[in-house]
Amino acid sequence: MSTLLNILNLLGGLAIFLFGMKIMSDGLQKVSGEKMRQLLGIATTNRFAATACGALVTSIIQSSSATTVMVVGFASAGLLNLYQSLGVIFGANIGTTMTAWIVSWFGFKMQISLFALPVIAVGFFAQFIPRVIVIRRIGETMVGFGLLFLGLDIMKNAIPADFAQNPQVVEWISRFQPNNLINLLALIFSGTVLTVILQSSSAVMAMTLT
């Protein structure tokens, strides 16, 4: 029964995550104008600027998954093209390594999901401000951002907290030595599966460093 409940919570978190992504994308399409396009264009003028932008954003919000989803939202709203989006996503994966080092050095990781409900509250009530359409559209976008983070938090909480520290999991991974191609591919696959389950590449990296 507990396993079934965890699976349902995981699916519910995924549903909120995707719903938040849709609302965020719709809000961006409504609020975005030519000036916003120009600002984003300046921030991602070349592959190096786009990569640096992705790394910086991920370092601030402590979630490469959220950064990637935001980039998808920007691309869906027409604010970024595919070339710029790829640069930001590459930067997001660089930025998430910074998070792993912070976790391993200081044992600290900012939980941006703690701000999800306040962001949803502010965004929701901002939509009731009369005669100020821009603020209402920004509020809609904020609700999408908040739901996105809330969905991520629910998905993480649906997995047992001690999963990453489970001795059996660690022992299973330690059996693989990258001394040939098969074992190397097995390690890559293991990291991929763990990241999908935990919804946090930083947690997997910190576990690996430990």
Side-chain angles (χ1 to χ4, degrees), residues 103-172:
V103 172
S104 62
W105 286 345
F106 304 105
F108 172 78
K109 187 174 187 291
M110 181 184 298
Q111 295 182 354
I112 196 68
S113 59
L114 294 176
F115 302 96
L117 291 179
V119 169
I120 293 174
V122 173
F124 178 78
F125 289 107
Q127 297 180 67
F128 292 94
I129 298 178
R131 297 187 297 276
V132 187
I133 299 178
V134 175
I135 295 180
R136 293 169 62 183
R137 301 311 183 197
I138 293 176
E140 182 179 351
T141 304
M142 290 177 64
V143 172
F145 274 110
L147 289 174
L148 183 151
F149 292 128
L150 183 62
L152 280 175
D153 187 55
I154 292 175
M155 283 191 289
K156 290 178 182 179
N157 292 334
I159 304 299
D162 60 343
F163 180 83
Q165 288 78 32
N166 191 308
Q168 295 179 347
V169 176
V170 176
E171 181 183 359
W172 175 67

Side-chain angles (χ1 to χ4, degrees), residues 47-96:
R47 68 187 66 180
F48 299 106
T51 302
C53 179
L56 178 62
V57 171
T58 303
S59 299
I60 294 174
I61 68 174
Q62 300 290 297
S63 176
S64 59
S65 300
T67 302
T68 302
V69 171
M70 281 188 277
V71 171
V72 172
F74 288 140
S76 178
L79 300 177
L80 295 175
N81 57 37
L82 178 62
Y83 181 80
Q84 294 169 322
S85 300
L86 287 176
V88 178
I89 292 174
F90 289 153
N93 286 279
I94 295 175
T96 199

